[in-house]
Amino acid sequence: MKIQNICCIGAGYVGGPTMAVIAKKCPNIKVTVVDINEARIAAWNDQNVENIPVYEPGLPEVVAEARGRNLFFSNDVDKAIDEAEMIFISVNTPTKTYGEGKGQAADLKWIELCARQIARVAKGDKIVVEKSTLPVRTASTLKDILTHTGNGLSFQILSNPEFLAEGTAVDDLMKPDRVLIGGDQTEEGLEAIQALVDVYAHWVPNEKILTTNVWSSELSKLTANAFLAQRVSSINSLSELCEHTEADINEVARAIGTDSRIGPKFLKSSVGFGGSCFQKDILNLVYISRTYGLQEVADYWEQVIIMNDHQKRRFAKKIINSLYNTVSGKKIAFLGWAFKKDTNDTRESAAIYVADHLLNEQSEIEIYDPKVKKEQIYTDLDYLGSRSSEENRANLSVGTDPYKICEGAHAVAILTEWDEFKSYDWQRIYDSMLKPAHVFDGRNLLDKQALKTIGFQVHAIGTAD
Ligand code: UDX
Ligand code: UDX
């Protein structure tokens, strides 16, 4: 089977970049990305590629090359489904906020809606590809809906989880460590797997395309994210011990990272991991394990989240304790709001929780982030429901000049590791602040010694003050 038309439902951080790269690498395949959100599609179609809704280094160039040639963004979901032989589902699967599994299970409402829409519209056989991260065995739900509500057509369900990290999405997609494709081990299933292998084979070496059964593929995605998050929680747990023992977490990370069995990546201690995936996927793993009665397995993974919540709270408490146990009426400047550098994504960003904690203590906060829009910051805080949106706006403001937001502040807190923060004129910032002037470096980004020489009181994660 040769794929000529691909449709992707969901033009978000996963669907948009992934399809843009497929279109770039496969000029003979027409790729249409659809979304129910009209504003989002309009932004993807903006004449100026710098205005596309997802900020990723290198992405505007990829979109500029392929858009209008074989890459299209549209709100006409039915038409794109009808035309495509292969349909990727890349809609969001947030943690449930209601009912059974609230706070843990993945909400599969949107996935099910997609399946029903595909079943209603399809006039020919289709391969449906799960791109969204899903609980293991979701493929059977999809298959059930498609076969029972479809027009007697044949549907193959593949799992093809995305491993891209935000901020490096284009590189990760162009040179993936591996591509994982799971499908039924039947003749039709293997044919469908091969059709998707052929798409990736346009640019990914064969030995990097792994095929498995569908359940292994679904579970591997959750497992990969759980392992990565676990590393961050592990190093963060030891960062607290370092602060009490005069060991330095950066030195410890370097020392253990040179062991080739451990490896150097993902050992950077921080104010806590964020992003749309880690917490959601682990909660999901915990929920599934409990569903099968595997209490110890569930507790084991839940601890990764408990540690991460502790790290965020601990950072906020450190600010309060260092400012003589009260931040009421004191201005604290935040540098960074995104959950990591080089993205405008703020989902589950540690900054949100640190700000919330400080606002509960009646602190005043001013924020600067190079890529996050003001309205997004207010939306993030309002979503927590800790106080009215008027109160959030009264006590927290968002600036466009990093030097200005630091003026008259008692403390500067680094929440995201944006490179530009390193090259600021820190003497100028120091001069404009109240004294003693504190820096709380939640990313171990800045040169601690240089800041101390200027006169700052420096508090970094995982080193004694
Ligand atoms: C999401 C999930 O967070 C992630 O777990 C999964 O692996 C892939 O999908 P992301 O692309 O970052 O990742 O989500 P988001 O940026 O929210 O994009 C999802 C898009 O789907 C939104 O633009 C939304 O409007 C769209 N959508 C949602 C539809 O088009 N139809 C629907 O029925 C629901
Ligand atoms: C993650 C996975 O890496 C990716 O494979 C999957 O597809 C989606 O989830 P993402 O959330 O985009 O990607 O970013 P990632 O680079 O993994 O960082 C996640 C969080 O962990 C960020 O908040 C980051 O700052 C934090 N982190 C990461 C650390 O605190 N320390 C580290 O050493 C690494």
Side-chain angles (χ1 to χ4, degrees):
M1 191 189 310
K2 205 164 159 45
I3 302 297
Q4 286 169 321
N5 279 284
I6 286 178
C7 156
C8 171
I9 310 179
Y13 285 89
V14 172
T18 309
M19 292 302 130
V21 169
I22 291 183
K24 176 187 161 72
K25 296 290 189 181
C26 311
N28 53 332
I29 300 179
K30 180 179 172 193
V31 181
T32 308
V33 190
V34 292
D35 202 295
I36 47 174
N37 182 335
E38 290 188 7
R40 212 163 213 195
I41 290 298
W44 279 110
N45 282 323
D46 198 299
Q47 280 303 342
N48 180 355
V49 283
E50 296 300 327
N51 293 336
I52 55 176
V54 170
Y55 173 75
E56 276 293 342
L59 186 57
E61 291 80 354
V62 176
V63 171
E65 178 188 332
R67 199 176 59 185
R69 178 188 72 189
N70 65 324
L71 175 66
F72 302 91
F73 295 92
S74 157
N75 290 117
D76 194 342
V77 183
D78 283 2
K79 178 162 176 271
I81 291 176
D82 182 36
E83 283 179 1
E85 302 98 37
M86 182 176 271
I87 301 161
F88 287 78
I89 300 185
S90 190
V91 298
N92 37 333
T93 50
T95 304
K96 274 185 86 176
T97 52
Y98 56 90
E100 189 78 18
K102 179 179 169 180
Q104 290 198 327
D107 193 341
L108 299 182
K109 187 164 66 181
W110 309 119
I111 297 285
E112 183 174 335
L113 280 175
C114 285
R116 289 187 186 277
Q117 189 164 9
I118 294 169
R120 179 170 54 73
V121 171
K123 297 199 218 56
D125 296 349
K126 308 272 181 204
I127 299 172
V128 176
V129 186
E130 300 175 340
K131 202 50 159 164
S132 307
T133 307
L134 298 167
V136 60
R137 298 207 70 84
T138 305
S140 69
T141 310
L142 283 177
K143 184 136 206 160
D144 230 37
I145 294 171
L146 288 167
T147 43
H148 285 101
T149 57
N151 312 316
L153 301 167
S154 155
F155 293 98
Q156 281 303 317
I157 319 288
L158 300 180
S159 159
N160 172 220
E162 188 46 67
F163 295 104
L164 69 82
E166 289 175 31
T168 53
V170 173
D171 264 2
D172 295 346
L173 286 163
M174 301 263 208
K175 291 186 245 77
D177 283 349
R178 79 310 207 179
V179 166
L180 181 57
I181 302 173
D184 277 352
Q185 302 297 300
T186 57
E187 196 182 322
E188 299 80 13
L190 293 172
E191 241 176 60
I193 291 177
Q194 191 55 45
L196 185 52
V197 168
D198 292 343
V199 172
Y200 283 107
H202 281 81
W203 78 100
V204 181
N206 240 314
E207 64 277 12
K208 292 198 169 179
I209 306 180
L210 313 181
T211 59
T212 64
N213 79 32
V214 73
W215 320 122
S216 306
S217 171
E218 286 181 341
L219 187 58
S220 299
K221 168 69 189 197
L222 291 183
T223 307
N225 276 344
F227 269 59
L228 290 169
Q230 182 198 36
R231 271 174 83 97
V232 178
S233 274
S234 296
I235 202 77
N236 278 345
S237 73
L238 294 163
S239 74
E240 190 172 14
L241 190 55
C242 285
E243 288 164 30
H244 289 276
T245 56
E246 288 184 34
D248 178 331
I249 197 65
N250 304 303
E251 292 179 354
V252 173
R254 200 177 64 217
I256 64 165
T258 49
D259 184 325
S260 62
R261 293 166 302 175
I262 297 175
K265 293 184 184 164
F266 257 75
L267 288 177
K268 188 111 187 67
S269 68
S270 67
V271 56
F273 61 74
S276 71
C277 285
F278 282 1
Q279 169 153 319
K280 177 184 64 134
D281 290 352
I282 293 180
L283 288 174
N284 206 333
L285 202 56
V286 169
Y287 182 73
I288 298 169
S289 304
R290 292 233 161 92
T291 308
Y292 287 108
L294 311 177
Q295 198 57 39
E296 289 78 5
V297 179
D299 291 350
Y300 177 77
W301 287 107
E302 192 165 36
Q303 196 60 35
V304 173
I305 301 288
I306 293 173
M307 193 62 229
N308 195 50
D309 287 341
H310 172 68
Q311 188 77 349
K312 294 182 270 188
R313 213 169 30 244
R314 197 166 82 72
F315 186 74
K317 281 189 170 160
K318 178 106 177 232
I319 296 179
I320 298 163
N321 294 345
S322 308
L323 298 182
Y324 314 111
N325 292 318
T326 178
V327 288
S328 178
K330 291 182 182 167
K331 175 167 149 184
I332 297 170
F334 272 32
L335 290 178
W337 188 262
F339 81 98
K340 60 186 277 196
K341 73 171 179 179
D342 291 342
T343 177
N344 60 345
D345 193 351
T346 63
R347 286 175 290 181
E348 292 300 331
S349 179
I352 304 171
Y353 298 92
V354 175
D356 189 53
H357 196 110
L358 294 174
L359 288 173
N360 281 342
E361 297 292 326
Q362 303 184 341
S363 165
E364 285 175 18
I365 302 179
E366 280 197 45
I367 297 168
Y368 168 77
D369 185 287
K371 287 291 170 195
V372 179
K373 297 205 169 87
K374 181 172 168 174
E375 273 321 303
Q376 184 61 48
I377 294 177
Y378 288 127
T379 305
D380 292 337
L381 272 174
D382 291 348
Y383 184 76
L384 295 182
S386 305
R387 62 195 74 72
S388 71
S389 56
E390 290 73 30
E391 283 172 288
N392 280 332
R393 279 156 186 77
N395 298 313
L396 181 145
S397 58
V398 182
T400 51
D401 178 348
Y403 292 100
K404 262 221 138 42
I405 66 146
C406 296
E407 277 172 17
H410 288 261
V412 175
I414 311 285
L415 275 306
T416 313
E417 73 280 24
W418 286 102
D419 289 331
E420 66 172 64
F421 299 162
K422 288 189 276 194
S423 57
Y424 286 176
D425 180 348
W426 283 95
Q427 180 70 52
R428 178 177 160 198
I429 291 175
Y430 178 79
D431 292 342
S432 74
M433 289 174 64
L434 297 182
K435 308 294 171 334
H438 294 264
V439 169
F440 296 88
D441 188 351
R443 297 287 183 168
N444 286 334
L445 180 74
L446 304 174
D447 181 340
K448 192 171 177 178
Q449 206 41 55
L451 290 180
K452 278 188 166 172
T453 309
I454 293 175
F456 280 107
Q457 315 267 322
V458 190
H459 316 267
I461 305 265
T463 48
D465 286 347

